[in-house]
Amino acid sequence: MEEGKDPASATRTSLSKALPLRILIFCSLFLVLGVGLSIISMYSVRFFEVQQIATVAPSTVQPWFQEPNPNSLDSWIKPPSNLLHTMNDTELLWRASFVPQIREYPFKRVPKIAFMFLTKGPLPLAPLWDRFFKGHEGKYSIYVHALPSYNAGYPPTSVFYRRQIPSQIVEWGRMSMCEAERRLLANALLDISNEWFVLLSESCIPLHNFSIIYRYISRSRHSFMGSFDEHGPYGRGRYNPRMQPEVTLSQWRKGSQWFEVNRRLAVNIIEDTAYYPKFKEFCRPACYVDEHYFPTMLTIQSPHLLANRTPTWTDWSRGGAHPATFGKADITEAFFKRILEGKSCLYNGQPTTLCYLFARKFAPSALEPLLGLASKVFGY
């Protein structure tokens, strides 16, 4: 201890010198600890981010059956991958009645023809249709309405594979027939690219190759539905005055069940609630509603859009309630020459001999000779 100094003062001086040193050591330790924790936290975050990405990131390989994102445009423009939906008829017709109000599409749209087959069960002429459609993928869609109990066994290579829609029992000549046709139209309307809709049966065949039929339908200013005012017991004689005021006698029309309509008319058919109840209640056999409902309604609403003729040839010359059916012995080049060249009609206001695109009724026995003649006579 130095002489003359206060011992307490010396003690305070030693403490004051030691205190900054301790603070410096403490701060250094705190800094090292902080840096260490920062490094550990950084690597931990990176590790867990990688783990999270590896866990939740979707695969870049998407399954073919995956539905589009409901929040994307694809959910509106991509056709359903599964036709066997769970909607009832009321829900289906409501959903199918949605119509874009802007004419231009915000995507590249290739307009398609929807081929709608109304049948009890199998399609015995399917191999002929397979040949007809081959090579024209992307320009057509197919829908089949069969009995609910029928399970189709078409191979994956067939255009009819998985094309059966939810159906109900159909009675000939009654409103259930038109309900099945509306069901086909509604299912086809769910595909925004379907622009034209053709109703066919299991006994129908195409009379020309796909390119000719596509061009004929797509370039026409009219839809091909027969609609004429027939006097006599099988025309006006089926009219019921209780259908007024929605339908008067002068508005009553008759036409073939087999038709082609564009998208606008298809929507008109499936959204109808004014004429449907009248025809259901007051057009029953011997009034056959499938011959009167659509021709009458569309003539009232849009007569300028109808060609007033069916696209499907049928032979009624033998008389009776049903047209003639043709089998193996009937299939000759001369037979089809009479069909293809035996009539003249108007197409876009100009005369033509190309009046029929399809024909019926053909028995299963006609398949083999039809396949033999198809390339030479029909061009497919």
Side-chain angles (χ1 to χ4, degrees):
M1 180 178 298
E2 294 184 10
E3 185 180 355
K5 287 188 177 180
D6 186 0
S9 176
T11 301
R12 284 195 300 269
T13 301
S14 300
L15 288 174
S16 62
K17 290 180 179 179
L19 185 60
L21 180 61
R22 290 179 180 179
I23 292 175
L24 180 60
I25 294 172
F26 177 79
C27 289
S28 298
L29 291 173
F30 184 81
L31 179 61
V32 171
L33 180 62
V35 171
L37 288 175
S38 298
I39 294 173
I40 293 172
S41 299
M42 180 178 65
Y43 280 99
S44 298
V45 169
R46 288 183 179 180
F47 174 81
F48 286 113
E49 281 181 349
V50 170
Q51 290 290 94
Q52 185 178 13
I53 291 172
T55 302
V56 304
S59 170
T60 56
V61 180
Q62 300 294 335
W64 68 269
F65 54 85
Q66 182 173 345
E67 294 293 344
N69 184 338
N71 297 320
S72 70
L73 182 63
D74 282 348
S75 65
W76 287 92
I77 66 176
K78 184 178 180 180
S81 62
N82 186 359
L83 296 185
L84 296 178
H85 55 73
T86 59
M87 290 183 285
N88 60 36
D89 278 359
T90 301
E91 296 167 338
L92 173 65
L93 296 177
W94 177 82
R95 174 63 182 86
S97 67
F98 290 1
V99 178
Q101 298 303 306
I102 298 177
R103 294 179 62 88
E104 294 185 6
Y105 293 90
F107 60 95
K108 184 178 180 180
R109 179 179 183 261
V110 177
K112 298 188 294 186
I113 300 177
F115 292 82
M116 309 177 301
F117 290 83
L118 180 59
T119 174
K120 293 181 179 179
L123 293 166
L125 303 177
L128 186 71
W129 285 100
D130 281 332
R131 181 185 293 188
F132 167 78
F133 287 116
K134 187 176 181 180
H136 300 283
E137 293 76 13
K139 289 190 174 182
Y140 67 85
S141 301
I142 294 174
Y143 304 86
V144 179
H145 187 293
L147 290 174
S149 59
Y150 176 71
N151 292 317
Y154 303 109
T157 55
S158 174
V159 295
F160 297 101
Y161 181 65
R162 292 182 174 176
R163 301 311 298 173
Q164 195 167 323
I165 67 169
S167 62
Q168 296 186 25
I169 294 176
V170 175
E171 295 181 84
W172 180 74
R174 296 188 177 273
M175 181 54 89
S176 59
M177 181 76 76
C178 292
E179 289 169 346
E181 295 170 10
R182 299 215 306 172
R183 200 172 295 123
L184 279 164
L185 285 168
N187 277 276
L189 282 166
L190 296 181
D191 185 343
I192 194 68
S193 292
N194 286 332
E195 184 63 28
W196 306 282
F197 306 79
V198 180
L199 182 67
L200 301 157
S201 75
E202 73 274 14
S203 65
C204 288
I205 66 167
L207 291 174
H208 307 276
N209 63 44
F210 185 91
S211 297
I212 290 176
I213 290 179
Y214 184 91
R215 184 166 60 248
Y216 194 91
I217 291 176
S218 64
R219 294 183 181 181
S220 175
R221 298 197 299 265
H222 306 95
S223 288
F224 298 98
M225 176 175 287
S227 178
F228 51 93
D229 183 5
E230 180 180 306
H231 294 260
Y234 304 115
R236 288 196 175 199
R238 296 174 176 176
Y239 174 75
N240 190 323
R242 287 181 290 180
M243 300 187 76
Q244 296 186 57
E246 284 79 7
V247 181
T248 64
L249 178 60
S250 63
Q251 295 172 323
W252 183 255
R253 293 293 184 271
K254 181 181 180 180
S256 171
Q257 175 186 5
W258 314 104
F259 61 78
E260 176 274 326
V261 293
N262 62 22
R263 191 172 184 90
R264 171 180 169 182
L265 296 183
V267 171
N268 288 348
I269 289 173
I270 63 102
E271 72 180 2
D272 171 52
T273 57
Y275 301 98
Y276 172 83
K278 290 287 186 176
F279 278 90
K280 185 173 184 177
E281 184 175 0
F282 300 120
C283 185
R284 301 180 181 182
C287 176
Y288 300 105
V289 67
D290 54 280
E291 295 180 352
H292 297 281
Y293 175 24
F294 299 157
T296 298
M297 181 186 72
L298 294 182
T299 298
I300 294 172
Q301 294 178 336
S302 307
H304 61 290
L305 296 180
L306 301 181
N308 291 333
R309 60 183 177 92
T310 177
T312 304
W313 179 88
T314 308
D315 183 7
W316 291 94
S317 63
R318 302 179 186 180
H322 300 281
T325 299
F326 303 98
K328 183 176 182 179
D330 300 299
I331 308 305
T332 64
E333 291 185 38
F335 172 76
F336 287 107
K337 185 176 181 180
R338 289 195 299 272
I339 297 175
L340 296 171
E341 300 178 3
K343 182 178 174 62
S344 62
C345 57
L346 292 178
Y347 176 80
N348 289 339
Q350 301 298 318
T352 181
T353 56
L354 204 172
C355 302
Y356 295 114
L357 305 179
F358 312 97
R360 66 186 302 267
K361 300 173 60 173
F362 292 88
S365 63
L367 176 61
E368 184 178 349
L370 282 170
L371 289 171
L373 288 177
S375 177
K376 182 177 181 180
V377 176
F378 307 136
Y380 59 85

